[in-house]
Amino acid sequence: MLLNKFFFLSALVIFLSQTSFSQVIWTVPAFPTKYDDVTVYFDATQGNRALEGFTGDVYAHTGVITSESINGSDWKYVIGNWGTADSRVLMTRVSEDLYSIRYNISDFYGVPAQEEVLKMAFVFRNVTGSIVGRSTDGTDIYTDVFSSNIGLFITLNSPSSGDIVITEDDSLYVDVLVSDTADLQIFNDGLQIYFDHTDRASFYFHPPSVGLHELEFVATTDTVVQLIKKYIVIMQDEEKTNPPAGSVNGLNYFSDSTYIFQLYAPFKEYVFLLTPANGFTADTGFQLNPAEDGSTYWIELPRNLFKNDQNTYQYLVSDGIRVADPHSEVVLDPNHDDFIDPLVMTTLPPYPTGMTQGIVTAFDTTYQSYDFEVDSFIKTEKTNLVIYELLLRDFLAKHNFKTLEDTLDYFVKLGINAIELMPVNEFEGNISWGYNPSFHMAVDKYYGTRQQLKSLIDAAHQRGIAVILDVVFNHGFSQSPLAQMYWDATNFRPAPGSPYMNVTPRHPFNVGYDINHESIATKIWVKRILSYWIEEFKVDGFRFDLSKGMTQFNSGNDAGLMARYDPGRIAILKDYADFIWSHDSTSYVILEHFADNNEETVLSDYGMMLWGNINHEFNEAAKGFQSDLEGADYTFKEWDEPNLIAYMECHDEERLMVRLLNEGDSEGSYNTRHLPTALKRVAAASAIYYSIPGPKMIWQFGELGYDFSINRCPNGTISNDCRTDPKPIRWDYLQNPDRENLRRVTESLIHLKINYPTFSTDDFVFNDANFYLKTVHLNHPDMDAVTLVNFRVINSDINPKFQYTGTWYEYFTGDSLIVTDTQKKITFGPGEYRIYTSERITPPDGFFTRTKDVAFLTTDFYPSLVTTQDWISGTLSGTGRSKIESISISDVRGIQNVLSTFYSLGEDFRFQLPDGMIPGIYFVQVRTKEQIYVGKVIVQ
């Protein structure tokens, strides 16, 4: 393969062979080959110094880079069981902070004879792996292994590998080794600065001028070898010039012939653009200009430098740090892009293999605008919102924007008017929930292209569906340029003085690295990202993950202290909301907040919506236990506006069906752990949930009674460690009549909510005083309504407290009820729910969702009253349960009608009466292989 040839040649071409560790490690012999015995020394005072002063045992974790490695960081033949006291890699303490280990390279790693070893790779750890010694920038440590076919080598300890940039007043330290005593000559820009017959030279050298320079090292015995190292000298104080008006951080399509690259990098002395045009090496012609603010750097370059797949770049900032653009719209990741759909990758330039390492930015050579069909989308009023939260990875087998676009009609049928996408910007790895973000403006290629996302949003808008992005600004991860540019490798965390991140988190719920939102740099960065998604993609709003963490108040590990009223946090969130609304006054701003109510009230009054977690309470109600559901009612919080997005389920909580099937209550033959019954219990909970005014949210497949645990592992076991692992995708649920019935109940409830102002009224009373019997009374000039639910597992009498006497209509059955006594109690079966309206209305497609249960027994059956529109469900009891072969219906005269369609699952079955049946008594015969079951129904 071509890549292997590249690695093999790099081992042979001596002028490319350099050490890469600045004496964190060294070897004896200094130029080991694959078949040598080697002693590796590790100096804990160098590199990130994490193990400096450590007194316990130190272990190596090591592997090799070989001709079969796919890139320069692809370890092979790894030795060391992480987190254990592995004697194979126990280091010998030579002295304080100095350790060694000795082995034969070929035998130790077990590298096949035909495979070349190019480098040894290391990190060092304590026994648990909680303390890890790495190179200065926190990366792995590498040292060369040399080919036994070449007898003379040159290697540099200083200048080290990578980009060397010094100021005009600095001196350059030179430290060079030769594998044998030789005539060693060193030239700077062709002028000799050193000569001796030696195997090592060390000295300081003061470069003559500003600009790009070249050191040449030549060693001569009976052969001649050469090594070349370039470095740059920059001015101490460069003239500051501002970028052209209107330019923004990131890439600017400034004119038809030029680009402007702009980076906001406070406290950095220099910035260079690295790109194929300069071989991804520092070049004075690509040094960015400092602006007058001392933090902005920019450069204008001709477009013809980036033709023919040359449109990739990184920035080189002070201290030799290479990063992709924090405002990248697309990134190339050499470690994860092999798993991306090839059709997505064909839209992008190739990774600049052999020129650089790490993530690079890719960009379009011409600006590609998208012609939206819907230029100005009119969003649904907040109180009518029904949001469908989804994770593309676990929602669709192809997990891409294109397939989601093809699925939009499913949401239309269900009545959804907004979809909320869990993070789709680039995050670490491919398989993730997305809350480990690295590039907040780049569309994650795992889900598709930028154009496909725009097409999805446009198609959603054509169907009246808003698209809300879940964004993560509380924290970043180490892959983020914001972290890498200001990094403390010794402690593997943000460095003190970082303009973006706190050294340690300010609150107990932090993951990754806590972002400082009182910093000007952070505010500039966040607002640039928000404006990009609004202007470029026409997104309709944002859900701010862990918004309560966006504070500089240090609550330590005290969750209660963190939740208290925080004026600084309120100011931050108001500032971001104002910025969003300055671009689109109708944008949704949603907070995952969970702070004390006095703070949430302020944010709600300002126009933001806030998540309300009522998962536990609805779980208890559905299971048949006492519960308080008042947290679903914004008026209970004494808010003036219906800005509470209370939810029964979200991605962070256990599924209702999981709890029901494992923990539900029962009484006699009524058992909430029975699948059809559990699904009806979710329907009952939904009746209350959708009847309480305010925006609503469904977590994917909740409308079908998804019953795989949030902690399910890929092998089917349950563990907290598997929370973010992929979960089964179950569109086959639609084929199950009981699950389909729940979906249709949900559809019918959403139909009520979004089509009848009654269900968005501010004149309502949610009566939650009874632990089991729940009622919602809604009043509106157009129509009044009453929702009644019995969450007990036994029959219960509910006082409906109708607003007035007269005729009321039950929504699901179409039955009318003449009310002469508004306080007369109505008997409800276990889990039964009803919605009465003062005007007759019909569910979508005329579908009546109420099902009648008929117990089919070998003896002692009882009649049940049904209508011709009812679905009838039953459960076989007794012995000989097996697959149902047929179901037939006979009238009292013995005339039989065999049903052509019925649904069954084990002993559970479901059917609908055939067309044309007249009122009367009928006998239902259910035939299995072993026996026949008979029941009686009365059609009215």
Side-chain angles (χ1 to χ4, degrees), residues 505-509 553-559 561:
R506 292 292 200 268
H507 59 86
F509 296 113
F553 176 76
N554 195 339
S555 55
N557 292 317
D558 189 336
L561 183 60

Side-chain angles (χ1 to χ4, degrees), residues 26 28 38 47 88 125 148 154 335 365 406 440 470 537 539 598 600 653 718 824 919 923 940:
W26 66 90
V28 175
V38 64
R88 297 175 301 166
R125 62 174 173 87
S148 58
I154 300 175
N335 295 319
T365 53
D406 296 338
H440 288 68
D470 197 340
F537 288 82
V539 301
N598 56 350
E600 293 202 344
E653 305 298 336
I718 305 298
K824 183 179 181 180
F923 298 96
Q940 58 181 353

Side-chain angles (χ1 to χ4, degrees), residues 80-100:
N81 291 316
W82 195 270
T84 66
D86 190 337
S87 60
R88 297 175 301 166
V89 289
L90 176 63
M91 304 290 288
T92 299
R93 187 184 298 275
V94 178
S95 62
E96 185 179 3
D97 292 324
L98 182 63
Y99 303 85
S100 71

